[in-house]
Amino acid sequence: MYFLEINKKHIEFLGAIRNWDNVKAAFDEQSVWVKDFLFEQLSAVEIQQIPFHVIYELKNNLLFKKGSLLPTKKLPSGLLWTPIVRALPVALPSFNHNYFGIDQKLEIHLKASEAVREPYALLTDYSELVNYIEKAPDFRLKPLSWVILEKKILIFGNPLLPVKGETYWLKDDFLLPTGYDFEWSALSKTLQQDLNPLGEDIIIWNKNNNSIVIAKNKMKPLSISSFRLTFS
């Protein structure tokens, strides 16, 4: 049998699995415990995206961290188990990712993701774009907007143009490289509230974990005329 443990102050991250009606939760003085997982649920994205959690396997009333041959501790006695949907309130407390204890610092990184995401933005060079856009019909450009980004051009919308470049998908006003997601995906909205509280910007998050902020009011509709005027 497997158990998940997470500190009570991080309880809000269990919201990702609150709808799993097969699992049960219990509380001790410091932690929230969750059990009765289906085996395939242990490797599900919803579990992987919960920061600060630990998965244990129970053997002879001793808890072994998943994959470890050495026991860590005993399962607390007297736990009162209840379906997780009842154990967790609908409105979970807000999480301040700016504060962590000395041993609880969390860095935000991207990681490769197997999830298929529809590209929403294309970062390309002028030389790649000019040959296509001069011949493109208006209806092909009308759904799109664009902005000049340093020495490149960023195009937003769907469907994107069949032009060579780097593609990004949209998540909570972040543009993430296709094929990648935040390591702790559950922090996405928290990051947005901290970095873009008014929702006035789009933030590009690159694979090297650098970010670029673009004001939404800087984007303009893509058309042949706007393109020619800009580069005339």
Side-chain angles (χ1 to χ4, degrees):
M1 180 181 291
Y2 290 89
F3 291 79
L4 179 150
E5 181 190 18
I6 192 169
N7 192 287
K8 282 182 178 178
K9 62 186 176 184
H10 300 143
I11 187 174
E12 71 165 287
F13 292 116
L14 294 179
I17 61 172
R18 186 178 179 272
N19 63 337
W20 289 6
D21 55 12
N22 57 291
V23 302
K24 296 181 177 65
F27 299 84
D28 66 17
E29 185 175 348
Q30 299 291 334
S31 301
V32 185
W33 294 86
V34 186
K35 70 171 185 175
D36 291 351
F37 295 98
L38 301 175
F39 185 76
E40 58 269 22
Q41 287 176 327
L42 294 172
S43 57
V45 171
E46 291 86 345
I47 291 290
Q48 296 177 21
Q49 292 178 347
I50 298 175
F52 309 118
H53 79 280
V54 181
I55 297 289
Y56 297 101
E57 185 176 4
L58 182 67
K59 302 176 185 178
N60 299 322
N61 207 37
L62 294 175
L63 293 173
F64 294 72
K65 286 186 179 180
K66 188 180 178 185
S68 174
L69 298 178
L70 298 175
T72 300
K73 55 185 174 182
K74 289 186 177 182
L75 182 69
S77 59
L79 294 175
L80 300 177
W81 297 96
T82 188
I84 192 169
V85 69
R86 295 181 184 177
L88 301 184
V90 174
L92 293 170
S94 60
F95 176 69
N96 177 10
H97 83 279
N98 292 307
Y99 173 78
F100 299 95
I102 292 175
D103 60 343
Q104 295 175 331
K105 293 180 180 179
L106 186 65
E107 296 182 359
I108 305 300
H109 296 285
L110 296 182
K111 69 171 184 177
S113 172
E114 296 180 358
V116 178
R117 312 286 188 180
E118 183 179 15
Y120 180 79
L122 171 71
L123 185 64
T124 187
D125 295 318
Y126 170 84
S127 59
E128 295 288 345
L129 183 59
V130 64
N131 291 331
Y132 178 86
I133 205 169
E134 289 287 351
K135 302 174 183 177
D138 288 342
F139 73 85
R140 188 67 180 85
L141 307 179
K142 191 173 181 179
L144 306 174
S145 56
W146 70 299
V147 66
I148 297 175
L149 189 61
E150 296 179 351
K151 296 181 179 180
K152 291 183 177 290
I153 298 170
L154 189 65
I155 300 173
F156 304 85
N158 290 113
L160 288 174
L161 303 180
V163 175
K164 184 179 179 181
E166 300 175 62
T167 57
Y168 296 80
W169 64 284
L170 185 65
K171 179 176 186 175
D172 298 325
D173 280 342
F174 290 104
L175 286 177
L176 307 180
T178 50
Y180 288 81
D181 196 355
F182 289 118
E183 182 178 5
W184 305 114
S185 187
L187 287 176
S188 176
K189 288 189 179 297
T190 303
L191 282 174
Q192 180 187 13
Q193 292 166 6
D194 186 55
L195 301 177
N196 187 24
L198 300 180
E200 297 176 341
D201 302 315
I202 291 286
I203 301 175
I204 302 178
W205 205 285
N206 292 308
K207 296 175 187 177
N208 60 6
N209 293 303
N210 290 332
S211 60
I212 302 171
V213 178
I214 304 170
K216 291 180 180 179
N217 60 14
K218 297 294 184 182
M219 303 175 194
K220 52 189 175 183
L222 180 60
S223 65
I224 296 175
S225 59
S226 68
F227 189 80
R228 287 174 177 169
L229 285 172
T230 301
F231 292 101
S232 60

